[in-house]
């Protein structure tokens, strides 16, 4: 997006133009669900651990790590989508980075390139399309091989996108819920809410006994906060 600023100072007009990259999606951990078929992107590994070249497929919700993806800004208005295992740098990408109709989508090892960087754009249906940078000019997007809603292990390919009719090429980003084990602190009349919040943040980032369910420690820390 190009933004222009105009400032008038002592009768002199100053103009500045800036190119601003506006991200349509927050970074985070997501399930990626097909808007039409209601099934979820997964990787299909033939071994016990994911590997470069594993197929990207679409299955019913399994509540397992094979359907969890980390979406991250690439710094230029595009995104990368990698598996949730922190020890693995494997990304959703176009096989061989080749822009062609029905090119398979697979797990790809780093480095990140135009086959693993994606434009994520909102559609009129309030869903998203995923276009690899290598296919921007050809308007090909992430799409299932079949529109059969009963089919499991539905392979994912790079396919031409037709906005008026092709809802099976549109996706929903569903954030994973994060549950913290940090116990809540009751609000006392002599404590501001920000103080309790600061204590809970501190316990989460720097765990103490209170984070392990010690009610006595919680009460002691609350009393200390009141007197100090």
């Amino acid at each position: 997006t190009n933004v222009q600023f105009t400032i008038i100072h002592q009768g002199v007009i100053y103009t500045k133009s800036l190119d601003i990259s506006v991200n349509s999606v927050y970074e985070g951990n997501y399930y990626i669900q097909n808007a039409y078929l209601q099934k979820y992107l997964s990787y299909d590994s033939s071994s016990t651990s994911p590997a470069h070249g594993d197929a990207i497929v679409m299955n019913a919700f399994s509540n397992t790590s094979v359907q969890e993806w980390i979406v991250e800004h690439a710094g230029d208005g595009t995104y990368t989508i990698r598996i949730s295992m922190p020890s693995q740098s494997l990304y959703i990408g176009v096989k061989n980075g080749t822009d062609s109709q029905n090119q398979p989508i697979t797990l790809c090892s780093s480095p990140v390139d135009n086959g693993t960087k994606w434009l994520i754009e909102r559609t009129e249906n309030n869903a998203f399309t995923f276009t690899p940078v290598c296919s921007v000019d050809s308007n090909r997007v992430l799409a299932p091989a079949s529109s059969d809603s009963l089919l499991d292990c539905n392979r994912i390919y790079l396919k031409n996108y037709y906005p008026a009719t092709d809802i099976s090429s549109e996706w929903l980003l569903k954030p994973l819920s994060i549950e913290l084990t940090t116990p809540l602190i009751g609000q006392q009349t002599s404590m501001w809410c920000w103080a309790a919040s600061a204590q809970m943040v501190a316990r989460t980032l720097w765990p103490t006994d209170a984070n392990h369910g010690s009610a006595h420690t919680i009460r002691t820390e609350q009393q200390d906060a009141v007197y100090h």
Side-chain angles (χ1 to χ4, degrees):
T1 302
N2 183 268
V3 178
Q4 290 189 339
F5 300 89
T6 300
I7 300 174
I8 302 175
H9 178 64
Q10 294 182 347
V12 180
I13 299 176
Y14 300 89
T15 302
K16 179 68 175 178
S17 178
L18 296 174
D19 288 322
I20 299 176
S21 176
V22 180
N23 294 305
S24 59
V25 174
Y26 291 110
E27 289 187 314
N29 294 48
Y30 292 90
Y31 298 115
I32 302 176
Q33 183 184 32
N34 189 271
Y36 176 67
L37 300 174
Q38 301 297 300
K39 294 195 175 182
Y40 293 77
L41 278 190
S42 314
Y43 61 83
D44 185 24
S45 182
S46 58
S47 63
T48 56
S49 60
H52 175 80
D54 285 347
I56 301 299
V57 298
M58 192 170 61
N59 284 319
F61 183 65
S62 65
N63 195 30
T64 61
S65 61
V66 301
Q67 294 180 338
E68 297 175 6
W69 304 99
I70 300 175
V71 176
E72 297 172 307
H73 298 147
D76 56 1
T78 66
Y79 299 83
T80 59
I81 308 167
R82 63 180 174 89
I83 64 174
S84 61
M85 294 183 181
S87 61
Q88 298 273 5
S89 295
L90 292 169
Y91 299 83
I92 294 180
V94 182
K95 185 177 181 180
N96 300 325
T98 303
D99 173 36
S100 62
Q101 177 74 348
N102 294 320
Q103 184 72 0
I105 304 298
T106 67
L107 285 182
C108 300
S109 57
S110 54
V112 173
D113 57 22
N114 287 345
T116 53
K117 292 168 67 175
W118 300 84
L119 287 173
I120 303 179
E121 299 177 296
R122 192 177 295 275
T123 71
E124 293 181 356
N125 300 309
N126 205 30
F128 296 93
T129 56
F130 293 78
T131 307
V133 172
C134 65
S135 300
V136 169
D137 294 335
S138 60
N139 198 34
R140 295 191 178 101
V141 300
L142 194 75
S146 170
S147 58
D148 182 356
S149 62
L150 300 179
L151 180 65
D152 261 342
C153 211
N154 194 348
R155 286 292 303 269
I156 304 298
Y157 293 93
L158 191 61
K159 302 179 77 171
N160 293 331
Y161 177 53
Y162 303 99
T165 59
D166 198 8
I167 193 172
S168 67
S169 296
E170 299 182 4
W171 305 85
L172 303 174
L173 288 166
K174 298 197 165 183
L176 275 68
S177 60
I178 299 175
E179 296 184 6
L180 298 177
T181 58
T182 306
L184 297 177
I185 298 176
Q187 300 297 300
Q188 301 181 31
T189 55
S190 56
M191 291 176 61
W192 294 101
C193 62
W194 60 263
S197 299
Q199 281 186 287
M200 288 187 286
V201 169
R203 286 174 178 167
T204 302
L205 298 178
W206 301 280
T208 66
D209 289 343
N211 276 12
H212 300 284
S214 172
H216 172 73
T217 305
I218 295 173
R219 288 195 298 271
T220 301
E221 290 186 4
Q222 286 178 330
Q223 291 170 356
D224 289 345
V226 170
Y227 293 113
H228 297 90

